[in-house]
Amino acid sequence: MDLQRVALLCTFFCFAQVWSLPTNCILRKDLLKRSYTLIETAGGLFPVQCLKENVAITFPQNAFESANTDQVTGVEKAVYQTLENIDALFENYNDPDQWDAKKWNEFRGLVYRQIVDSKCIMSKSEAAQDFPSREASLKKYFETISSALKEKDFRYCAWEIVRNEILRTLKFILDHNSDIML
């Protein structure tokens, strides 16, 4: 009887270990869409009073485009890096208090979940030689966003500019990279 229990427990722990391991390394389109919707509705339309404070920030479109299947890994890494940059941007500064707190917290949670779930993308090495140039474009983009936020003293309109840029980025990723996501 004891031997049977031990065998049963060993079997259970073996299956529990196997089922708990990540089975694939993917970006989930449904989570990215939900993230987009949450940040879009957390603050509403871009406020009219912020139009005069809006700044031109060059969008790194090239970081999310691929000319062939050899560049897919580079694009996946760029999307992952974007999620990390978004998370870091909001981690380093106080949360914008004008936005819907529930949606804002859910957005932050989804971004973090996507980072955790797709972290293995960064260990992919096949045909990712173009990633350093993508990474450099993203770094410059997010540094510009961060600088705009600081220059505008983290005021309401500064956060709206940030939110607008994140919306633009997520929308571009969703519209142009559905083939790399499930």
Side-chain angles (χ1 to χ4, degrees):
M1 189 72 165
D2 286 335
L3 186 58
Q4 208 173 21
R5 283 185 185 160
V6 169
L8 189 60
L9 279 173
C10 286
T11 304
F12 171 75
F13 287 123
C14 180
F15 281 120
Q17 182 65 28
V18 169
W19 282 329
S20 68
L21 293 175
T23 55
N24 48 19
C25 192
I26 59 167
L27 294 163
R28 290 192 38 200
K29 189 175 189 175
D30 63 324
L31 295 180
L32 207 60
K33 277 183 178 179
R34 180 74 182 136
S35 299
Y36 176 86
T37 301
L38 284 167
I39 196 163
E40 180 184 39
T41 58
L45 297 174
F46 193 81
V48 176
Q49 71 267 24
C50 297
L51 286 175
K52 64 181 185 277
E53 289 191 49
N54 205 0
V55 293
I57 299 175
T58 306
F59 179 71
Q61 182 174 326
N62 64 326
F64 305 109
E65 293 179 325
S66 62
N68 56 50
T69 55
D70 291 342
Q71 295 178 338
V72 169
T73 300
V75 173
E76 287 176 330
K77 287 183 174 190
V79 172
Y80 176 82
Q81 193 71 45
T82 298
L83 292 169
E84 278 198 326
N85 282 317
I86 290 170
D87 186 56
L89 186 65
F90 292 118
E91 192 173 282
N92 293 333
Y93 308 113
N94 292 331
D95 292 344
D97 56 357
Q98 301 87 350
W99 297 346
D100 181 304
K102 183 179 178 193
K103 290 177 181 179
W104 172 241
N105 286 329
E106 189 176 346
F107 169 77
R108 292 283 315 273
L110 273 178
V111 168
Y112 181 75
R113 177 179 173 192
Q114 291 170 86
I115 290 168
V116 170
D117 289 353
S118 59
K119 189 173 193 155
C120 51
I121 285 173
M122 294 309 284
S123 63
K124 286 184 176 182
S125 59
E126 65 273 357
Q129 299 90 349
D130 65 336
F131 179 65
S133 65
R134 295 173 191 273
E135 186 176 34
S137 294
L138 290 171
K139 183 179 181 192
K140 182 178 179 187
Y141 178 62
F142 280 96
E143 283 175 351
T144 304
I145 291 173
S146 182
S147 293
L149 190 57
K150 290 174 190 172
E151 286 171 13
K152 296 187 178 297
D153 262 348
F154 307 95
R155 292 187 311 266
Y156 172 67
C157 288
W159 282 113
E160 285 299 320
I161 292 166
V162 169
R163 188 172 69 91
N164 199 43
E165 287 300 317
I166 290 170
L167 283 169
R168 179 166 64 150
T169 303
L170 294 177
K171 178 99 172 106
F172 189 88
I173 290 168
L174 286 166
D175 289 349
H176 295 91
N177 294 293
S178 60
D179 56 329
I180 66 166
M181 295 181 269
L182 290 181

